[in-house]
């Protein structure tokens, strides 16, 4: 409808912003599902990023066979790519072909800039306004605006003064630019700069590149589409595309399984050379499992890249300047280059290292650095984008109660799955922050999001529902999960656009999701299968919500659980005792060893019935040290003095204490109270003999994990009752404190998180007759009084059957006036708290433990 003032007012089911790769497929999909939709596009044609980025040398960096739509096999047959990495004009032609083939243009309004989008709660619809005052209303509003579409402001002083020509790679003139005979400056050496510099150098009389941060780049080795690649796809296209959807990055490559340093040096070199020669982004990073998590491995491959640069550049200073050194490899997108480095061997090229000689100002005629004044006819800005969030918040988007998205995202984007935002019903982002997006083959991620959204709209329509909105809890849970994953990697170290660090003032938050396309797809499917977990769905007949967090296990804990599951081992409790002990021993053999300590020595001490083995861990620092008597876990049935070796080393080093891990008699051979008697006797003996062991007299704490935590606190109760020895503190890590199996944590975490309900029952049955379990020496929570116990640090894990009894014990001690610090570690399991150097997401909790032990050692 046209209004009196000439503006348009139109209603449809779905309003889409953007007619790039995402908007086009979304339009097609919506239309096929029977929705009316309109796409509003700023450009005067389709193509999105491929419409704007027309600079010389612009190409995709994922092979074109992969960087294509896969939703229609006929489309794939009709379009042939001429090159392995197609040029921008060819990709634009492809997207134009798609628009025409599916007759999409009739639902696209070009040259239309969206300014505002308001959620009208009463009408349950979005009101969208354009720069020219046209208005559109729709039940759903989707931003398909791309991750790299809003150019970053050129933050170089004096930029407005230059009287020559200025160009931006991300808004390149359609008619192209002829640099023949021109003196050209290029600022920026990211993917865009690295692609355009060699081609500008072919025309320019002089090219000067201003480099602030040198980048890692591998040769593209472009050429015709690789025959073997084509054959693979054609042999079984469905399987090929499915493999891409189930891969880490949206390209069918296996995940690297071996850590870098477990591979022989010659084989490492061979893999790196092969990956480098292949000319693709993902092969090298997939060659090993730990290149983005292990700084040493990353550094070794960085050096490989630097040596490649050194080998190409004739001038040693230029070579060193071109060597990336400021950030770990892969933590900014690896560039693919063609003749980039060689350009700097040409006589008319020059590299200005802005770290040494920064730009003072752009002038009327050129650029002044701190060292010289340079004159140019043209300046090319290849300075990047306000990535992932810039184009979304560039529109004034207001959800419930008029709250603006920009304000909600002021401290960094919050989104559920990168798809929807709490407070913004019926609003979707395609490849939004918190989804794999830019860390994946965008074609695959776009299709997955579009399919998910369309499926969801169909579900709402079928159920007679009108709105869908992420809950606060689900969104918070997802944001935490996204950050947890990023924190396991080296990515947060880099000042990259992934971190928002390239735009002054932008909050420093990791923007995409690094768990992988495969993992992410599973998450989105799980959400749907669990009745749209974490979404509130409403209609005229009311609303319903299965609220919850879709991934609450910490990512590295999940990796450990997956690894254990892959071993397909029989449950310990189903094995004969000796076999169970062997299995546990075998499982601990491959653990990360934990930090180096000053000295480890094994010895025995007299127990009440027999000698008891102990292992002593001494710090490197000069003694005497405070002493911590440690009791290992293993359900009173398994383990020995060195079975918690990595954790004991950790406590020794981090708390700077002498850790003495004492073995005790195990059940069922020596049932309750044998372990208690041994533990108490050991603490007494160590208290008396502390000095001869190199410890400080009178400064003794106890610690233990699981059943060892039980023994540690039972010893505290006994020493309290029996008048000694003096214990300065107790560290109880996921302790057994009671024999009650009816707690919520026992039912919620009965299976699937390492320690199971059945295993715990088996431990108890081996250890202690049911008639004796009320004895506080077995169930310390049942003690008449906990008053007067030493200060305690209690750590419980959220996903542990023992969680509630640990929590109850901490609360009971606190109620009895004991000084207690209690941490319930979210997303952790029984075994992960002590998994030093394996489960890094528990590092913070472990630090709190070691701090507590350090503090205990000062109480004497
Ligand atoms: O942008 P960038 P891009 N003074 O942000 C420098 C995709 N893409 O357009 O690193 C001086 O990576 C900045 O320096 P520094 C791809 O995902 C893909 O190149 O901030 N220099 C950096 O060198 C890519 O990652 C292809 O110190 C300044 C450069 O400008 C993403 O788009 C092709 C500066 C910006 O690099 C972005 O790439 C092109 C200043 N004030 C792009 N400000 C394909 O191959 C910024 N810089 C598919």
């Amino acid at each position: 409808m046209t209004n009196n003032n000439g503006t348009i007012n139109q209603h449809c089911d779905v309003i889409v912003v953007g007619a790039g790769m995402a908007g086009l497929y979304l339009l097609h999909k919506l239309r096929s599902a029977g929705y009316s939709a309109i796409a509003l596009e700023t450009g005067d044609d389709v193509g999105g990023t491929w419409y704007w980025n027309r600079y010389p040398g612009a190409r995709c960096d994922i092979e074109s066979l992969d960087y294509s739509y896969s939703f229609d096999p006929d489309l794939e047959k009709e379009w042939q790519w001429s090159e392995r990495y197609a040029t921008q004009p060819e990709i634009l032609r492809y997207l134009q072909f798609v628009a025409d083939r599916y007759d999409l243009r009739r639902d696209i309004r070009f040259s239309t800039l969206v300014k505002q989008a308001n959620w009208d709660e009463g009408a349950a619809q979005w009101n969208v306004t354009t720069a020219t005052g046209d208005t559109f209303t729709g039940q759903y509003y989707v931003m398909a605006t791309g991750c790299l579409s809003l150019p970053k402001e050129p933050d170089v002083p004096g930029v407005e003064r230059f009287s020559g020509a200025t160009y931006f790679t991300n808004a390149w003139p359609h008619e192209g630019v002829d640099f023949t005979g021109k003196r050209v400056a290029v600022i920026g050496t990211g993917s865009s700069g690295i692609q355009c510099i060699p081609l500008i150098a072919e025309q320019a009389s002089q090219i000067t590149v201003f480099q602030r941060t040198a980048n890692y780049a591998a040769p593209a080795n472009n050429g015709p589409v690789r025959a073997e690649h084509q054959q693979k796809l054609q042999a079984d296209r469905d399987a090929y595309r499915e493999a891409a959807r189930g891969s880490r990055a949206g390209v069918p490559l296996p995940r690297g399984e071996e850590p870098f340093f477990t591979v022989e040096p010659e084989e490492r070199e061979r893999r790196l050379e092969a990956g480098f020669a292949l000319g693709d982004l993902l092969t090298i990073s997939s060659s090993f499992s730990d290149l983005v998590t292990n700084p040493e491995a990353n550094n070794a491959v960085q050096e490989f890249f630097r040596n490649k640069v050194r080998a190409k550049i004739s001038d040693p200073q230029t070579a060193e300047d071109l060597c990336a050194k400021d950030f770990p490899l892969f933590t900014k997108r690896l560039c693919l280059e063609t003749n980039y480095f060689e350009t700097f061997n040409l006589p008319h090229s020059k590299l200005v290292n802005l770290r040494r000689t920064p730009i003072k100002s752009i002038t009327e005629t050129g650029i002044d650095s701190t060292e010289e004044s340079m004159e140019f006819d043209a300046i090319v800005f290849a300075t990047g984008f306000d990535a992932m969030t810039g184009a979304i918040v560039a529109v004034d988007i207001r959800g419930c109660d008029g709250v603006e998205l920009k304000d909600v995202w002021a401290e960094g984007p919050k989104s559920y799955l990168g798809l929807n935002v709490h407070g913004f019903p019926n609003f979707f982002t395609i490849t939004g922050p918190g989804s794999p997006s830019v860390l994946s083959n965008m074609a695959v991620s776009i299709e997955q999001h579009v399919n998910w959204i369309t499926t969801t709209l169909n579900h709402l329509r079928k159920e007679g529902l009108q709105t869908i909105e992420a809950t606060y809890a689900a969104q918070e849970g997802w944001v935490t999960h996204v950050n947890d994953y990023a924190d396991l990697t080296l990515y947060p170290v880099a000042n990259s656009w992934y971190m928002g660090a390239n735009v002054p003032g932008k909050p420093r938050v990791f923007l995409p999701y690094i768990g992988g396309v495969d993992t992410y797809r599973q998450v989105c499917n799980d959400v749907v299968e669990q009745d749209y977990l974490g979404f509130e769905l409403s209609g005229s007949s009311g609303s319903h919500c299965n609220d919850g967090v879709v991934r609450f296990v910490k990512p590295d804990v999940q990796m450990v659980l997956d690894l254990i599951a892959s071993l397909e081992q029989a449950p310990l409790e189903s094995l004969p005792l000796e076999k169970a002990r062997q299995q546990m021993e075998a499982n601990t053999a491959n653990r990360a060893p934990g930090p180096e300590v000053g000295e480890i020595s094994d010895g025995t001490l007299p127990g009440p019935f027999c000698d008891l083995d102990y292992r002593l861990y001494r710090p490197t620092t000069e003694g005497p040290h405070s002493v911590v008597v440690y009791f290992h876990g293993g359900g009173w049935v398994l383990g020995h003095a060195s079975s918690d070796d990595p954790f004991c080393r950790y406590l020794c080093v981090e708390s700077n204490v002498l850790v003495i891990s004492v073995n005790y008699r195990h059940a069922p051979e020596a049932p309750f109270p044998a372990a208690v008697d041994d533990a108490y006797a050991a603490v007494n003996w160590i208290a008396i003999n502390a000095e001869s062991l190199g410890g400080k007299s009178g400064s003794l704490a106890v610690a233990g994990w699981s059943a060892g935590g039980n023994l540690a606190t039972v010893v505290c109760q006994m020493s309290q009752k029996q008048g000694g020895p003096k214990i300065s503190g107790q560290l109880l890590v996921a302790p057994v404190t009671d024999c009650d199996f009816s707690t919520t944590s026992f039912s919620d975490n009965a299976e699937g998180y390492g320690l199971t309900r059945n295993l715990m029952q088996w431990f108890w049955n081996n250890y202690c007759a049911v008639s004796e379990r009320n004895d506080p020496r077995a169930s310390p929570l049942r003690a008449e009084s906990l008053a007067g116990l030493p200060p305690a640090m209690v750590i419980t894990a959220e996903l542990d059957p023992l969680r509630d009894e640990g929590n109850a014990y901490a609360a009971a001690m606190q109620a009895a006036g004991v000084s207690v610090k209690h941490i319930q570690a979210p997303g952790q399991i029984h075994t992960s708290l002590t998994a030093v150097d394996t489960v890094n997401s528990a590092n913070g909790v472990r630090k709190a433990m070691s701090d507590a032990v350090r503090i205990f050692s000062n109480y004497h």
Side-chain angles (χ1 to χ4, degrees):
M1 184 180 99
T2 307
N3 299 319
N4 290 343
N5 62 2
T7 58
I8 288 167
N9 185 336
Q10 187 177 334
H11 180 81
C12 54
D13 296 328
V14 189
I15 302 167
V16 178
V17 185
M21 198 175 225
L24 290 179
Y25 178 46
L26 182 60
L27 263 192
H28 168 66
K29 192 79 187 168
L30 288 170
R31 199 191 271 170
S32 315
Y35 299 96
S36 60
I38 188 153
L40 307 175
E41 165 60 54
T42 318
D44 60 14
D45 197 1
V46 299
T49 197
W50 301 106
Y51 171 92
W52 298 103
N53 289 268
R54 296 173 187 238
Y55 60 86
R59 291 174 187 276
C60 54
D61 57 4
I62 297 283
E63 292 187 55
S64 297
L65 286 192
D66 297 310
Y67 186 72
S68 320
Y69 293 117
S70 70
F71 65 87
D72 184 350
D74 290 338
L75 170 64
E76 284 183 56
K77 282 187 208 126
E78 287 166 32
W79 184 268
Q80 298 302 320
W81 292 106
S82 69
E83 286 180 276
R84 188 177 169 203
Y85 296 108
T87 58
Q88 172 272 329
E90 187 172 3
I91 303 171
L92 183 57
R93 277 201 304 279
Y94 170 69
L95 295 173
Q96 289 164 336
F97 173 75
V98 169
D100 294 336
R101 189 185 189 285
Y102 299 97
D103 188 20
L104 300 175
R105 290 176 192 276
R106 66 183 156 93
D107 287 328
I108 305 173
R109 288 184 63 86
F110 294 108
S111 309
T112 301
L113 176 67
V114 174
K115 292 298 275 186
Q116 220 184 29
N118 291 322
W119 174 243
D120 177 343
E121 218 148 349
Q125 69 177 19
W126 282 92
N127 298 335
V128 173
T129 312
T130 71
T132 51
D134 294 338
T135 53
F136 298 85
T137 52
Q139 190 181 350
Y140 301 101
Y141 174 61
V142 188
M143 289 295 270
T145 36
C147 297
L148 294 152
S149 41
L150 187 77
K152 187 187 107 148
E153 294 289 327
D155 51 350
V156 185
V159 68
E160 67 295 337
R161 289 171 57 195
F162 187 58
S163 59
T166 51
Y167 302 101
F168 294 85
T169 49
N170 42 36
W172 202 257
H174 288 204
E175 63 281 10
V177 182
D178 183 2
F179 289 109
T180 306
K182 299 275 192 312
R183 297 160 304 169
V184 184
V186 181
I187 301 179
T189 51
S191 301
S192 303
I194 283 178
Q195 283 185 333
C196 72
I197 285 164
L199 290 166
I200 295 175
E202 280 180 14
Q203 294 182 335
S205 62
Q206 186 193 309
I207 182 162
T208 306
V209 175
F210 292 83
Q211 172 195 277
R212 189 164 66 185
T213 309
N215 234 322
Y216 301 98
N221 291 340
N222 194 22
V225 171
R226 289 183 297 135
E228 68 273 23
H229 195 181
Q230 186 81 269
Q231 276 155 14
K232 245 192 203 166
L233 175 65
Q234 276 165 0
D236 186 346
R237 72 157 298 280
D238 288 348
Y240 184 91
R241 294 301 188 199
E242 208 41 46
R245 294 177 194 123
S247 68
R248 183 178 181 81
V251 174
L253 274 178
R255 277 175 186 248
E257 299 216 321
E258 293 164 298
F260 185 78
F261 288 110
T262 63
V263 175
E264 290 299 315
E266 302 74 44
E267 172 59 13
R268 279 185 229 151
E269 195 67 14
R270 191 201 62 73
R271 285 190 204 173
L272 293 178
E273 288 291 356
F276 203 75
L278 188 61
D280 112 301
L281 285 185
L282 300 167
T283 301
I284 291 183
S285 59
S286 312
S287 301
F288 306 93
S289 63
D290 59 345
L291 295 186
V292 296
T293 51
N294 177 351
E296 284 83 35
N298 188 287
N299 199 29
V301 186
Q302 286 177 33
E303 197 52 24
F304 173 87
F305 272 79
R306 286 190 280 265
N307 286 335
K308 291 288 181 193
V309 176
R310 289 172 187 133
K312 279 185 178 175
I313 305 296
S314 33
D315 174 49
Q317 181 63 59
T318 308
E320 270 327 290
D321 287 345
L322 285 168
C323 284
K325 292 174 189 147
D326 296 332
F327 58 97
L329 179 65
F330 306 121
T331 58
K332 288 187 177 185
R333 193 179 178 95
L334 179 63
C335 302
L336 283 189
E337 57 87 20
T338 302
N339 293 332
Y340 173 66
F341 292 110
E342 289 82 349
T343 300
F344 296 93
N345 288 333
L346 300 173
H348 69 297
S349 77
K350 172 173 167 172
L351 181 71
V352 178
N353 181 342
L354 297 180
R355 305 271 171 180
R356 263 204 315 276
T357 51
I359 294 177
K360 253 189 2 204
S361 178
I362 294 181
T363 64
E364 278 205 349
T365 53
I367 297 178
D368 284 357
S369 78
T370 48
E371 223 166 48
E372 59 183 316
S373 287
M374 289 159 271
E375 299 212 330
F376 298 109
D377 303 307
I379 302 179
V380 174
F381 290 90
T383 41
F385 300 86
D386 182 349
M388 307 252 351
T389 55
I392 298 174
V393 297
V395 176
D396 177 358
I397 301 174
R398 289 170 194 258
C400 299
D401 304 321
V403 171
E404 195 179 348
L405 185 64
K406 196 189 233 167
D407 295 334
V408 177
W409 284 8
E411 304 297 320
K414 298 207 181 260
S415 165
Y416 186 32
L417 306 173
L419 276 164
N420 173 252
V421 182
H422 172 66
F424 295 78
N426 291 8
F427 166 60
F428 297 101
T429 49
I430 301 211
T431 61
S435 74
S437 55
V438 291
L439 296 175
S440 69
N441 174 0
M442 287 297 275
V444 167
S445 288
I446 284 170
E447 287 192 337
Q448 188 254 336
H449 264 190
V450 168
N451 293 344
W452 192 94
I453 291 170
T454 320
T455 305
T456 299
L457 266 48
N458 290 344
H459 173 77
L460 295 169
R461 183 169 61 183
K462 185 165 146 266
E463 298 296 318
L465 298 163
Q466 271 85 52
T467 63
I468 178 165
E469 181 194 344
T471 68
Y472 181 77
Q475 179 170 287
E476 285 295 296
W478 183 250
V479 170
T480 302
H481 178 71
V482 169
N483 289 325
D484 285 343
Y485 237 123
D487 287 344
L488 297 178
T489 72
L490 302 169
Y491 278 84
V493 174
N495 288 324
S496 65
W497 58 259
Y498 295 142
M499 293 296 300
N502 65 327
V503 175
K506 192 167 172 172
R508 196 184 169 93
V509 175
F510 189 68
L511 297 167
Y513 174 62
I514 199 165
V517 163
D518 45 0
T519 313
Y520 176 78
R521 174 177 296 264
Q522 188 58 51
V523 169
C524 293
N525 293 346
D526 288 352
V527 164
V528 174
E529 270 161 32
Q530 293 171 54
D531 193 15
Y532 283 90
L533 177 67
F535 282 106
E536 177 158 5
L537 301 115
S538 309
S540 47
S541 54
S543 68
H544 80 274
C545 173
N546 176 22
D547 201 1
V549 171
V550 63
R551 286 292 183 270
F552 40 81
V553 184
K554 293 287 174 191
D556 48 357
V557 173
Q558 189 60 53
M559 287 173 204
V560 171
L561 288 171
D562 292 345
L563 182 74
I564 293 170
S566 73
L567 300 176
E568 296 183 359
Q569 291 179 331
L572 284 173
E573 66 275 19
S574 69
L575 297 173
L577 193 63
E578 265 325 293
K579 279 254 153 50
R581 286 181 176 150
Q582 279 164 13
Q583 185 164 302
M584 151 124 177
E585 215 36 38
N587 288 350
T588 54
N590 295 327
R591 286 174 308 185
E596 281 292 319
V597 299
E599 183 201 348
I600 288 184
S601 57
D602 294 330
T604 56
L605 57 85
F609 182 77
C610 59
D611 280 355
L612 303 173
D613 299 331
Y614 69 81
R615 173 164 283 196
L616 183 149
Y617 303 83
R618 199 184 306 283
T620 44
T621 53
E622 204 173 313
H625 300 96
S626 296
V627 177
V628 172
V629 183
Y630 180 85
F631 300 106
H632 65 264
W636 308 283
V637 174
L638 313 170
H640 44 73
S642 59
S643 58
D644 291 352
D645 210 60
F647 185 57
C648 289
R649 288 166 178 266
Y650 175 86
L651 284 182
C652 169
V653 170
E654 295 298 319
S655 307
N656 194 36
V657 290
L658 200 69
V659 174
I660 304 176
S661 170
V662 182
N663 200 17
Y664 44 87
R665 281 170 294 157
H666 289 132
E669 296 90 336
F672 173 80
V676 172
D677 292 342
D678 288 357
Y680 186 52
V683 171
N684 270 304
W685 186 87
I686 291 169
I688 294 164
N689 294 282
E691 276 183 47
S692 62
L693 294 165
K696 252 187 228 163
S697 175
S699 177
L700 177 145
V702 292
W705 167 58
S706 191
N710 169 284
L711 296 175
T713 199
V714 167
V715 165
C716 291
Q717 292 191 5
M718 292 171 76
S719 87
Q720 217 266 333
K721 259 195 181 158
Q722 299 180 29
K726 188 171 169 359
I727 297 175
S728 62
Q730 44 175 335
L731 170 66
L732 312 179
V733 186
V736 185
T737 70
D738 199 29
C739 56
D740 177 12
F741 291 91
S742 68
T743 57
T744 310
S745 59
F746 254 109
S747 50
D748 284 359
N749 308 318
E751 276 180 39
Y753 301 116
L755 178 65
T756 62
R757 180 193 171 93
N758 286 349
L759 180 58
M760 203 57 221
Q761 248 156 358
W762 184 73
F763 284 145
W764 269 107
N765 291 343
N766 276 302
Y767 179 53
C768 187
V770 174
S771 59
E772 291 182 293
R773 290 183 194 173
N774 276 335
D775 187 325
R777 291 175 304 157
S779 299
L781 183 61
R782 299 187 182 215
E784 249 170 49
S785 166
L786 298 175
L789 289 184
M793 168 63 126
V794 182
I795 308 290
T796 53
E798 184 191 7
L799 307 168
D800 182 359
L802 303 183
R803 178 196 68 207
D804 290 352
E805 64 196 69
N807 291 354
Y809 193 63
M813 283 196 290
Q814 222 151 16
V818 179
S819 159
V820 179
K821 261 197 162 177
H822 172 212
I823 298 176
Q824 181 178 298
Q828 298 294 334
I829 61 173
H830 187 70
T831 44
S832 60
L833 299 174
T834 52
V836 173
D837 291 340
T838 303
V839 175
N840 291 340
S841 59
N843 282 352
V845 187
R846 253 173 247 133
K847 169 89 171 46
M849 299 187 212
S850 62
D851 287 348
V853 168
R854 201 182 268 271
I855 290 167
F856 296 157
S857 66
N858 294 329
Y859 302 147
H860 48 90

